[in-house]
Amino acid sequence: AATAPRIPSTRLALHHFDTSYGLHLGALWPSVRAGLLCEQKYGALLNNFAAADHVPQELELLNATDFISEAPQKAQQWQQGAAVGEETTGCQEGSGEGRTVMQAEMVTQAEMSPPLCTSKIKCYTFPRGDITRFRPARPDALGLLDYYLMDAASLLPVLALNVQPDDFVLDLCAAPGGKTLALLQTGFCGHLAANDISVSRTKRLHQILHSYVPKEVRDTVSVTSYDGRDWDQVKGGTFHKVLVDVPCTTDRHSAMEEDNNIFHKRRTKERQMLPMLQLQLLMAGILAARPGGAVVYSTCSLSPLQNECVVE
């Protein structure tokens, strides 16, 4: 054992993904695999609290666009394209093409009346195939940074939460803080509770809040380090909106980075127990919501065991 070559965790992760996702996604897997192994592209989440009115124009000159404001138009184009496909193929509702049309119609209907919070959140991305890097964020006169670089897909759970004015919001697994910051950008949170079990990660969350958010807004945020599974024992049934962005295999990181890789052999048991942990966190999030409230569950994984199976 001491002399046997050590298999990198990234290779173990990719072998696992090839086996499970290849079966689950079929013909889609090669392109998804390539996406996982490509260099990560970031979005620039504009900071509404900073005096940075010049930033949108600066980013647009670089050919970056606000993907959130473009979403309704793209959904409409998708629906039109799918409808043409239905007319030319004569597909039935039960076929794959029929499901595509139905999905397109559902998305477009949702986009026709987009969540109120989307008018407040702006995130700029470069076009597909453009790997230009954003410049580092810069402080304004008061020291608040003008934008936050994050994976643009991380905004989707925040948009799905559809925060309304004066909502009490819980971000159950908040660190390092990108989604918490995005929730604050809506300007709608009557109170925001940001929790993460890791004290070191909540320190990073505090740093982000101090770098991007003025004190009067930070005072509406409570940052805690409870075990999220026990949250209902702290404040059960009190929140209008709950975001449960659970720990997961973090597929891109697992396929690309050796550091802190959950596919390391020492973390096998931890990885196997992830769906149970995720289920417990989701249950705690549901119990934290008041009657009539909404819960959004999200991961950074393609695994059905960590997504559909947990929700079911």
Side-chain angles (χ1 to χ4, degrees), residues 90-156:
C91 63
Q92 299 299 311
E93 187 173 296
S95 69
E97 294 87 347
R99 285 195 295 274
T100 301
V101 175
M102 292 168 64
Q103 290 164 358
E105 288 172 349
M106 289 166 62
V107 169
T108 307
Q109 288 166 6
E111 296 292 356
M112 285 171 65
S113 53
L116 190 59
C117 64
T118 60
S119 63
K120 304 285 187 178
I121 298 178
K122 295 187 181 301
C123 184
Y124 281 78
T125 58
F126 290 108
R128 184 173 182 172
D130 184 343
I131 58 170
T132 304
R133 286 182 174 267
F134 290 99
R135 63 160 173 80
R138 295 171 183 158
D140 67 1
L142 297 177
L144 298 177
L145 297 177
D146 52 6
Y147 57 62
Y148 179 78
L149 296 180
M150 64 190 300
D151 189 324
S154 295
L155 283 177
L156 300 180

Side-chain angles (χ1 to χ4, degrees), residues 231-247:
W231 185 268
D232 62 296
Q233 299 173 26
V234 183
K235 290 182 182 177
T238 55
F239 293 92
H240 299 95
K241 302 289 168 64
V242 180
L243 176 59
V244 186
D245 184 53
V246 293

Side-chain angles (χ1 to χ4, degrees), residues 54-116:
H54 63 285
V55 174
Q57 184 178 6
E58 175 190 335
L59 295 177
E60 287 164 9
L61 287 173
L62 296 173
N63 202 29
T65 56
D66 175 20
F67 86 91
I68 296 173
S69 64
E70 287 187 341
Q73 180 183 358
K74 290 192 174 181
Q76 188 173 14
Q77 293 172 350
W78 182 33
Q79 184 199 32
Q80 290 170 348
V84 169
E86 183 181 35
E87 289 170 5
T88 55
T89 60
C91 63
Q92 299 299 311
E93 187 173 296
S95 69
E97 294 87 347
R99 285 195 295 274
T100 301
V101 175
M102 292 168 64
Q103 290 164 358
E105 288 172 349
M106 289 166 62
V107 169
T108 307
Q109 288 166 6
E111 296 292 356
M112 285 171 65
S113 53
L116 190 59

Side-chain angles (χ1 to χ4, degrees), residues 132-192:
T132 304
R133 286 182 174 267
F134 290 99
R135 63 160 173 80
R138 295 171 183 158
D140 67 1
L142 297 177
L144 298 177
L145 297 177
D146 52 6
Y147 57 62
Y148 179 78
L149 296 180
M150 64 190 300
D151 189 324
S154 295
L155 283 177
L156 300 180
V158 174
L159 298 177
L161 206 57
N162 192 16
V163 179
Q164 301 296 304
D166 299 323
D167 272 353
F168 276 47
V169 182
L170 168 62
D171 189 352
L172 191 61
C173 308
K179 295 181 181 68
T180 302
L181 181 60
L183 286 165
L184 290 173
Q185 297 302 314
T186 66
F188 291 156
C189 297
H191 175 73
L192 175 59

